[in-house]
Amino acid sequence: MKVLEVENLNLGFDCDDGYHQALYDVTFSVECGKMLALVGESGCGKTISAMSILQLLPKRARITSGVITFDNKNLIEMSSSELQHIRGRRIALIPQDPMTSLNPLFTVGDQLLEVIKIHQGLSGEKAYKKAIEAFEEVQIPCAEERLKSYPHEFSGGMKQRAIIAMALACNAEILIADEPTTALDVTIQAQIMDLMHKIKAERNTAILLITHDLALVKENADTVSVMYAGRIVESAPASEFFANPLHPYSKALLNSIPSQRGKTLDTICGQPPSIQQKISGCRFHPRCKHVMEVCSENIPKNYYINKDHFSACFLTKGFGQESL
Ligand code: SF4
């Protein structure tokens, strides 16, 4: 069941030299108990798409069209007080750097109790019990003792667990995890991903994973949406995406991850465009190995090879359909 739907989201920035578009008709949905990975290089629009859901956008950002549906309501049209009831409580953010969410001056327990008080209306013994349960659920050992620790006394992985505990204490329906393991070493990374799997399976929580790490996506995601220069260029169930990627950008990304010993890795020539750069036709055409004349003049539509798998490329047009 879809719990969140982003449809045709167009967003840009009002800069001194005019309006620059950053997101182009971004469309994706997140389902209960599933993990959708939004994948792409830095600056492709993944984080700004996630921030649009929470309506935590920089001052100069402007949504020009699109709908973000959660609980039958458009988040874009909600008042700030309505959004406050949703942010943190029903849709929670797991940031790349947990220190941006933890206050170094207060114990982790105080911060968790504050969240429980605000979002659950609990205080005293009941709130304390809930805090211990949340710490135990994210497998922080000696929960009672650790509630008294300050953030600097926690390792990176423990801080990330504490942030997840805050989301669990509020029974969040959606977790937006923005590069949640980038700052962690590989073993801790695996533990945090295991924890997310457990939450997804046991609580039926929907997870939106924002990442550039395709190896992480392969091991964890149910669905993959690939973003390039502000547009989703391919979307598919994860198993199908890794077995049969369609878009040249997806293929290039997959060929650039180390997998088999002795296999030469591909590189994608050039750089992703800045938002100031105007690009005609397919936004990937200046870097595409398969570029054709049509690509620089016309914008490819999303061509579907089945109802769950599309690619925005003229090469897919030959065997895909514009809608199914
Ligand atoms: Fe490459 Fe053309 Fe496909 Fe764009 S539409 S990805 S330029 S082949």
Side-chain angles (χ1 to χ4, degrees), residues 5-11 21-29 36 38 44-46 48-50 52-53 65-68 76 208 225-233 302 310:
E5 239 179 320
V6 177
E7 288 167 280
N8 299 106
L9 183 67
N10 286 286
L11 173 150
Q21 191 157 353
L23 297 182
Y24 296 79
D25 284 317
V26 168
T27 297
F28 60 84
S29 58
L36 164 72
L38 207 49
C44 70
K46 313 182 292 282
I48 202 80
S49 302
S52 306
I53 296 169
S65 62
V67 180
I68 303 178
I76 297 171
L208 174 60
S225 288
V226 179
M227 264 191 122
Y228 181 77
R231 180 174 182 189
I232 293 187
V233 295
N302 294 339
F310 75 77

Side-chain angles (χ1 to χ4, degrees), residues 247-249 282 284-285 288-292 295 300 312-315:
H247 197 280
Y249 178 62
C282 168
F284 187 55
H285 89 259
C288 182
K289 278 183 183 170
H290 307 280
V291 62
M292 303 170 281
C295 306
C313 170
F314 289 116
L315 293 173

Side-chain angles (χ1 to χ4, degrees), residues 22-267:
L23 297 182
Y24 296 79
D25 284 317
V26 168
T27 297
F28 60 84
S29 58
V30 197
E31 293 186 23
C32 293
K34 301 277 180 205
M35 185 185 287
L36 164 72
L38 207 49
V39 188
E41 291 165 283
S42 301
C44 70
K46 313 182 292 282
T47 297
I48 202 80
S49 302
M51 292 303 124
S52 306
I53 296 169
L54 295 164
Q55 294 291 292
L56 291 173
L57 293 168
K59 261 195 184 150
R60 289 181 171 211
R62 182 154 54 91
I63 293 175
T64 52
S65 62
V67 180
I68 303 178
T69 311
F70 173 68
D71 202 9
N72 294 320
K73 291 189 189 108
N74 185 358
L75 292 178
I76 297 171
E77 288 171 353
M78 272 190 189
S79 65
S80 10
S81 61
E82 280 176 300
L83 280 165
Q84 256 169 9
H85 282 284
I86 288 176
R87 262 191 231 127
R89 184 160 78 173
R90 301 186 65 190
I91 307 179
L93 177 69
I94 315 290
Q96 179 174 343
D97 178 3
M99 276 314 280
T100 55
S101 303
L102 291 170
N103 187 329
L105 302 176
F106 295 94
T107 66
V108 180
D110 282 344
Q111 296 178 61
L112 177 55
L113 287 166
E114 182 71 9
V115 167
I116 293 170
K117 190 175 157 194
I118 294 171
H119 294 298
Q120 297 275 300
L122 299 176
S123 56
E125 201 48 43
K126 281 187 182 160
Y128 189 65
K129 204 168 154 249
K130 186 98 183 159
I132 293 176
E133 279 169 14
F135 259 29
E136 285 173 348
E137 192 170 349
V138 297
Q139 294 146 9
I140 292 181
C142 314
E144 227 173 318
E145 207 43 49
R146 296 307 275 176
L147 283 173
K148 296 175 199 145
S149 303
Y150 284 87
H152 74 270
E153 296 173 290
F154 273 25
S155 65
M158 291 266 275
K159 281 186 208 129
Q160 207 55 296
R161 283 172 197 271
I163 299 286
I164 297 172
M166 288 182 191
L168 297 187
C170 301
N171 297 322
E173 290 147 71
I174 304 175
L175 296 185
I176 299 179
D178 189 2
E179 305 273 7
T181 59
T182 305
L184 307 174
D185 68 42
V186 183
T187 20
I188 308 296
Q189 195 177 79
Q191 288 171 11
I192 296 291
M193 291 317 296
D194 283 349
L195 179 59
M196 292 222 202
H197 272 295
K198 189 170 158 275
I199 294 167
K200 187 174 81 127
E202 290 176 5
R203 290 179 165 247
N204 210 23
T205 308
I207 300 180
L208 174 60
L209 175 71
I210 312 280
T211 185
H212 63 277
D213 185 343
L214 276 170
L216 196 74
V217 173
K218 190 172 186 180
E219 294 219 337
N220 297 286
D222 298 292
T223 315
V224 183
S225 288
V226 179
M227 264 191 122
Y228 181 77
R231 180 174 182 189
I232 293 187
V233 295
E234 181 161 4
S235 196
S239 53
E240 196 174 317
F241 174 78
F242 286 98
N244 180 29
L246 298 173
H247 197 280
Y249 178 62
S250 309
K251 289 183 187 177
L253 277 184
L254 286 167
N255 287 337
S256 64
I257 51 171
S259 52
Q260 294 152 26
R261 202 173 285 182
K263 190 179 168 231
T264 316
L265 297 181
D266 259 6
T267 51

